[in-house]
Amino acid sequence: MPIICEFLGVQVCMYFKEHNPPHIHVRCSGKMASINIETCEIMHGDIAKNRAKLVLEFVHCYQDQLMDMWIKKEIRKINYDI
């Protein structure tokens, strides 16, 4: 799974052979969640609330870049400094 970003034990990944809506996958402490890029909402899964807040903030801040990656099917690393 291509990793886009890692911060505070959170891995943010994206698959390109995926279904819509545009989304990312997040792994944290053995748990996974899918986050809708367009709405910045958790679609599936369960991660700790404090990590979910950080991930949703990340998606909001980098929404345009994440959508661009989804559309172009191009992975680019994002450096997210908290």
Side-chain angles (χ1 to χ4, degrees):
M1 179 179 337
I3 298 172
I4 295 168
C5 187
E6 292 184 83
F7 56 92
L8 299 175
V10 175
Q11 288 184 327
V12 179
C13 309
M14 187 182 290
Y15 295 111
F16 292 124
K17 294 184 180 193
E18 284 279 339
H19 54 87
N20 279 317
H23 63 282
I24 58 169
H25 295 272
V26 177
R27 291 188 287 202
C28 179
S29 301
K31 296 186 178 186
M32 294 188 73
S34 299
I35 314 295
N36 185 310
I37 297 170
E38 295 173 311
T39 63
C40 299
E41 296 176 334
I42 297 174
M43 298 179 355
H44 304 286
D46 181 37
I47 57 175
K49 288 185 182 195
N50 61 340
R51 293 298 188 247
K53 182 179 177 186
L54 290 172
V55 169
L56 295 176
E57 190 176 293
F58 166 83
V59 174
H60 181 73
C61 288
Y62 292 96
Q63 190 172 24
D64 291 341
Q65 289 179 10
L66 293 168
M67 280 304 300
D68 190 57
M69 283 186 231
W70 181 271
I71 291 165
K72 293 180 179 176
K73 301 192 180 335
E74 262 177 28
I75 289 292
R76 292 186 304 275
K77 295 284 185 181
I78 296 174
N79 293 320
Y80 183 52
D81 296 322
I82 297 177

